[in-house]
Amino acid sequence: LKTAEGNRVNNYRDWGIPLGRRFRALKLWFVIRSYGVSGLQTIIRRHIELAQALAKRIEYTADFELLAPSPLNLICFRHHPKGVDDTATLNALNERLENTLNSSGQLFLTHTKLGGAYVLRLVIGQTQVTEDDVKKAWESIQSTARR
């Protein structure tokens, strides 16, 4: 049964290219064809370098903390102001920080929970991202958190 209307209505979701392995591989093939293997490697390595630099910066900032290792381009952190140690308060604070930053339109963070802690996640992965973009994002995160 295609839809509740039976055969009287066309269900256009069935009219696309099948999303099997071959089609998913085609998308990767186009990316490799556009950038080349070495070009793609360069972009990925740059993203990892930028993430490592930001992770170090977060590690040395007094009112922020890393909550998971950052071996690639994903950074898991949270704002942890001095004197605030209640998990529920920290979770609410970081959720509010995420919502404020995301609604600003300047950057977009996601979140997860690790061991009951509300964790902000920042991924450096846009093709044309620069060191300056990452610095501006970090400055925006810090200034918003401190307000």
Side-chain angles (χ1 to χ4, degrees):
L1 197 63
K2 284 187 174 181
T3 66
E5 294 294 319
N7 291 328
R8 294 187 302 151
V9 175
N10 289 322
N11 194 336
Y12 292 107
R13 74 179 175 98
D14 296 326
W15 284 29
I17 298 171
L19 297 177
R21 284 187 192 139
R22 288 183 179 187
F23 182 70
R24 290 193 314 262
L26 182 63
K27 293 186 283 186
L28 177 60
W29 181 80
F30 273 112
V31 171
I32 292 172
R33 186 168 182 220
S34 296
Y35 294 103
V37 172
S38 63
L40 197 53
Q41 289 172 333
T42 301
I43 291 168
I44 292 169
R45 286 184 179 124
R46 182 68 180 142
H47 292 166
I48 293 170
E49 286 172 10
L50 291 171
Q52 298 303 308
L54 181 57
K56 272 194 174 44
R57 201 173 283 141
I58 292 170
E59 196 173 9
Y60 293 113
T61 304
D63 55 342
F64 283 86
E65 62 183 346
L66 289 175
L67 293 175
S70 298
L72 295 174
N73 63 335
L74 170 67
I75 305 163
C76 296
F77 66 99
R78 74 174 171 179
H79 182 225
H80 189 160
K82 201 174 202 175
V84 180
D85 292 321
D86 177 49
T87 302
T89 305
L90 284 170
N91 288 350
L93 178 73
N94 281 281
E95 184 175 6
R96 192 167 53 245
L97 175 60
E98 178 193 13
N99 291 335
T100 303
L101 288 165
N102 288 349
S103 66
S104 75
Q106 293 177 0
L107 64 137
F108 183 77
L109 301 176
T110 59
H111 73 276
T112 191
K113 287 210 171 180
L114 295 174
Y118 193 94
V119 180
L120 301 174
R121 300 184 326 164
L122 183 133
V123 176
I124 298 173
Q126 197 277 340
T127 308
Q128 304 299 326
V129 70
T130 65
E131 187 174 353
D132 192 46
D133 295 327
V134 175
K135 284 180 183 176
K136 285 178 184 174
W138 178 234
E139 289 168 5
S140 179
I141 292 167
Q142 289 182 91
S143 65
T144 303
R146 292 175 180 149
R147 268 187 267 132

